[in-house]
Structure formats: structure tokens, C-alpha cells
Amino acid sequence: MTTVYEQRKAPPVPRVPRRSPAGPVLALLWAGAAAVVALWWADTGSVVGAAGWLTGAGRIAGLLCGYACAVLVGLMARVPLLERRIGSDRVARWHAMAGRYTVCLLVVHVVLILLGYAAQDHASIVHETVTVVLDYPDMLKATFGGLILFAVGITSARAARRRVSYEFWYYVHLLTYAAVFLAFFHQLSLGEQFNGRAGATAAWYALYLGVAGLLLWYRILAPVRLNLRHRLRVESVHREAPGVYSVVVRGRRIDQLGAEAGQFFRWRFFGEGMGWTSTPYSLSAPPRGDRLRITVKALGDHSAAVPLLRPGARVWAEGPYGSLTAERRTGQRSLLIAAGVGITPLRALFETLPGEVTLLYRARTAEDLALGGELEAIARWRGAKVLYALNGPQGQRPSLTPAYLREAVPDLAGHDVYICGPHAFAQELYGALSAAGVPDRRIHHESFEL
């Protein structure tokens, strides 16, 4: 694929950096939770006895759980404001946190409500559970929904996540939609805050229908429009390093996608059994003409099948997503630090990021330096610097200490630092950069671990 450095074009000047809307969005979400508690407070009189306290606390937990379900689905809707301005990795962390809150609130709600009802009816907890599930309106559906949420929560736990394939986790995770749908109706039929209160009921419907609208538009209609319009297909596949391959994708009106260096798409390739899963891969070169390029390391079933793709295979893409772009810059000097296949978004940034740019590439051996020839050519073209941190002869890993970083990059604290690599690598490096005097606002990182 023809590269920009061969065309001798200057890097484009990025748009003026914009402040992340993360603060206002979080404030809005917490304000919603406060409004839910206020709804219970305004509608609840005096609480009497143990049964009253148990059921009251259980209803608060239930209302907050219902609100958290809507937030959970909203964060899965891939809204561009969140995915591109705040960052997909940060939104994913919010989603994971919201998931933990949701499951915990669900447990508290179920336990306290059943204990409260049992105390109120002077019945055993087992008898009360059977009565509630089988006799109360919409409770059988809600029970199935709750069990699905538990299953999603268990498979999302870190210990379980390491033991299941991405494909299994992905499809179990999709059941969240079914769980929320099944649980929704009992909230209105049994929730005292909604019975006979048109305003509260209308607000709850508006919340859920609004989230459903975001989901319909950004998860279904927008991707359908993108793929019908751009008609993406595999053009070629190239080996870059052991287990690392680049895929060139051709399409129509690629320039109208609005993709930037540092961003990624979610890709579904219709070939070699890969059409069942959508997987995020970063652009490893800036979009140009009618082509996009990604570079993939064989780490799982999906990525291992990439070398088997054939020219002409249909491609389904969703995006662009991610905020690891030039807009994050706060100055005119940048340091890009990549480990392994984390070089892919940084290689695109290395070519296009204005100002003084240095790239530090961490890999096991020289043979593992994917796209190394392109990096050297870009460095010569734009007068930039490429540094390598390779394992020693006995396999010993170089330590990227604060002292090493300060020596390698003079005036390190005055640089914007972009990091891409495994989560443990990024965490260790973040600590080293902070110790070297780099302010947090100048450290930019996006993780694609799922």
C-alpha cells in the first residue's frame, strides 16, 4: 500500500484539542441515581418495624438496580460521544463497574425483599420465595432475567474470563439485553413508586426507550448504513513478523468514514469461520484513498484465522472508535511507546502526528519488530527518532525505569506520551512515567483487552 512518507506530504495539523466530556457524563449518571433515590423518598411514608425496613431497603436497591440496568445497556450502545471523545477503554471500565454494581444491587434487592415479605407474612424464606416467583405478576420472567444477569456477571469476572474463549464470553454477554427486557416489566407492575403515578411511569419508560433507541441506532442501523455505503472487502493479506499479519481492506468513499490515526474498528470477516464474532483491531496506517489497513497478531481463534483470509472476502466493520488520536496532544513534542502488537495504532500516529515525535518500541527480538521497515522509513522522512527495547542475549527484559526514560528522551516531562500494549505493561509504564515527572494529563493510553 502506498504510504504517505513516500508521497512526501507533511503531517496534517489536527483539530484543536477538546476537553473530554467524561466529567459531565459521570455527573449526569450520578444525578440520575440520586433522582431514583429521591423518587423512593418522596413516595415513602414512615417505615415501621423490621419488615418495613427490609422491604424499604430492598425497594431502594431494586430501583437503583433497574436504573443501573439502563446505564449498563447505554454504555454498550457505542455512542460516538462516549467511544470517540471519552475513549472506548474508559467506557468499557465504566461498563464493567456498572455491571458489578448491577449484580450487587440485584442480590441485595432479592435478599432484602424476600426477607421483608417473609417477616411481614410470618412465613419461611423458602415458602415466600416460591410464592413471589410463581404468584406475583411478571416475577417468573424477572427471575429468568436475574439468573441471566448472574451468568453474565460470573463469566465477566476476571478469574472466569481467563478460562473462556472470547467468542463464548461475547455471546453470553449479549444475553444482557434479554435479561434487562425480562426484568423490566415487574418493575412497573410491582414497584410501588410507579403504581398510579403517571409521571414516574412515563419517566421510567422514557429512560428505557431512550436507551433502546441509542442501541437500535448505533449498534444496528448505523453499522448497516456504513457497510451498505462503503462495501468493504479484503484486498490482500501480508506477513509482517512471526504470527503477525496485515490485512488491507478496500472500499468505496473511505475518506467519508471520518477515521483517524490511532482509532480502531470492530471487524467481522466473512470467511474461514470468522463471521460469527466482531473483534476490535486498530488501523495500522492512516486511511488513504479507498483502503484501510489493520495489523493483527494471532492470539486467539479469531486472530489466528486472519492469515487464511482470501482476497474478495466480505468485511463488516463498525466504527471508527477510540480516542487515542492527535486531539489528545497538549504540546508540540510526543513520545510513543509500544509493546508487541500495540505498535499498530502508534505506527499510524507516528506517521501523522505533528511536531517532534519519538517512538520507543518494546519487543522480544528484532524479528518480532512488526512494521519495523515502515517505522525506519517514516523516521527518515520526517526526521523523527525510533528507539528499540529488546530482550538481551539470555532473554532478560530491559527495564523501562524512570532513569532510562529520562535518559532516552530529554525533557521527558514536556512530552505527551502515548502508550499501547498489554495491560500489565501499560500499568508498569504509567508508574515509571509518573515517577519521571510526566503529568497525568500528558499520559494517553487506550487498552483493547476485553
Side-chain angles (χ1 to χ4, degrees):
M1 185 163 65
T2 304
T3 55
V4 169
Y5 52 81
E6 291 172 343
Q7 299 170 6
R8 296 295 190 269
K9 292 183 179 178
V13 178
R15 294 187 292 272
V16 176
R18 294 178 292 180
R19 178 176 295 182
S20 168
V25 170
L26 281 177
L28 181 63
L29 295 178
W30 284 110
V36 168
V37 175
L39 174 65
W40 175 87
W41 181 271
D43 187 62
T44 303
S46 59
V47 180
V48 179
W53 282 103
L54 288 169
T55 54
R59 284 172 180 148
I60 293 175
L63 285 168
L64 288 172
C65 182
Y67 172 73
C69 283
V71 171
L72 195 66
V73 174
L75 292 174
M76 294 170 68
R78 298 177 188 165
V79 179
L81 174 69
L82 304 180
E83 298 281 338
R84 301 178 193 176
R85 295 286 308 283
I86 295 175
S88 297
D89 64 329
R90 193 170 186 182
V91 174
R93 289 196 297 271
W94 290 359
H95 172 73
M97 184 179 297
R100 290 190 287 270
Y101 284 154
T102 302
V103 173
C104 290
L105 287 167
L106 177 61
V107 172
V108 172
H109 169 63
V110 170
V111 171
L112 294 184
I113 283 291
L114 290 176
L115 288 174
Y117 284 0
Q120 180 178 299
D121 297 339
H122 304 287
S124 71
I125 189 68
V126 174
H127 177 271
E128 197 65 35
T129 300
V130 173
T131 300
V132 168
V133 171
L134 297 181
D135 297 342
Y136 281 45
D138 298 311
M139 270 307 304
L140 193 57
K141 290 186 293 186
T143 300
F144 282 116
L147 292 174
I148 292 172
L149 275 179
F150 280 127
V152 173
I154 290 171
T155 57
S156 297
R158 188 177 296 273
R161 180 67 190 90
R162 288 196 293 263
R163 290 173 170 78
V164 299
S165 68
Y166 169 76
E167 290 76 14
F168 178 82
W169 172 87
Y170 176 79
Y171 284 109
V172 170
H173 222 63
L174 288 180
L175 293 174
T176 302
Y177 302 130
V180 173
F181 175 78
L182 290 170
F184 173 74
F185 298 100
H186 94 287
Q187 300 173 38
L188 297 176
S189 59
L190 296 176
E192 289 193 359
Q193 282 67 36
F194 303 111
N195 290 335
R197 293 165 178 82
T201 302
W204 210 248
Y205 267 110
L207 172 65
Y208 272 79
L209 289 176
V211 168
L214 292 175
L215 201 66
L216 175 64
W217 180 258
Y218 291 113
R219 291 296 297 265
I220 299 175
L221 298 180
V224 168
R225 178 179 178 271
L226 182 153
N227 288 280
L228 289 177
R229 185 179 189 187
H230 297 287
R231 308 278 183 174
L232 303 174
R233 290 187 179 272
V234 172
E235 180 176 89
S236 58
V237 179
H238 309 279
R239 183 181 182 275
E240 303 287 0
V244 180
Y245 292 83
S246 286
V247 181
V248 178
V249 175
R250 178 187 289 272
R252 301 187 304 184
R253 298 189 290 269
I254 294 297
D255 59 312
Q256 296 178 20
L257 278 171
E260 300 179 42
Q263 292 187 313
F264 68 96
F265 287 78
R266 297 179 185 271
W267 303 89
R268 193 186 302 270
F269 297 99
F270 293 94
E272 307 303 328
M274 301 173 67
W276 295 102
T277 307
S278 172
T279 306
Y281 296 126
S282 297
L283 297 176
S284 61
R288 31 183 154 261
D290 56 357
R291 294 176 177 87
L292 299 170
R293 190 185 73 177
I294 60 174
T295 301
V296 179
K297 184 175 179 63
L299 297 172
D301 294 341
H302 190 276
S303 54
V306 165
L308 304 177
L309 287 171
R310 295 293 177 261
R314 291 173 53 220
V315 180
W316 184 274
E318 300 175 36
Y321 302 124
S323 64
L324 196 70
T325 65
E327 284 193 0
R328 286 197 177 185
R329 292 166 62 248
T330 63
Q332 292 300 312
R333 288 175 293 177
S334 302
L335 169 63
L336 315 180
I337 307 179
V341 78
I343 190 61
T344 54
L346 299 192
R347 179 260 178 257
L349 281 171
F350 189 49
E351 182 177 318
T352 60
L353 204 59
E356 179 185 318
V357 184
T358 301
L359 174 67
L360 174 59
Y361 192 175
R362 165 79 181 94
R364 290 188 180 90
T365 67
E367 189 180 22
D368 294 317
L369 294 172
L371 308 174
E374 294 183 12
L375 298 174
E376 293 289 348
I378 294 170
R380 289 193 299 270
W381 160 65
R382 62 176 302 172
K385 184 189 300 184
V386 181
L387 306 174
Y388 300 105
L390 305 177
N391 288 0
Q394 306 303 318
Q396 62 269 33
R397 292 166 54 90
S399 181
L400 303 183
T401 63
Y404 172 91
L405 294 170
R406 281 194 297 261
E407 182 179 352
V409 184
D411 190 25
L412 176 62
H415 285 64
D416 284 281
V417 183
Y418 290 76
I419 306 171
C420 193
H423 183 66
F425 168 82
Q427 278 191 318
E428 180 181 349
L429 192 55
Y430 196 98
L433 290 166
S434 297
V438 181
D440 284 354
R441 63 186 175 85
R442 289 190 170 180
I443 303 176
H444 316 301
H445 170 240
E446 203 160 46
S447 170
F448 304 107
E449 291 191 351
L450 298 171

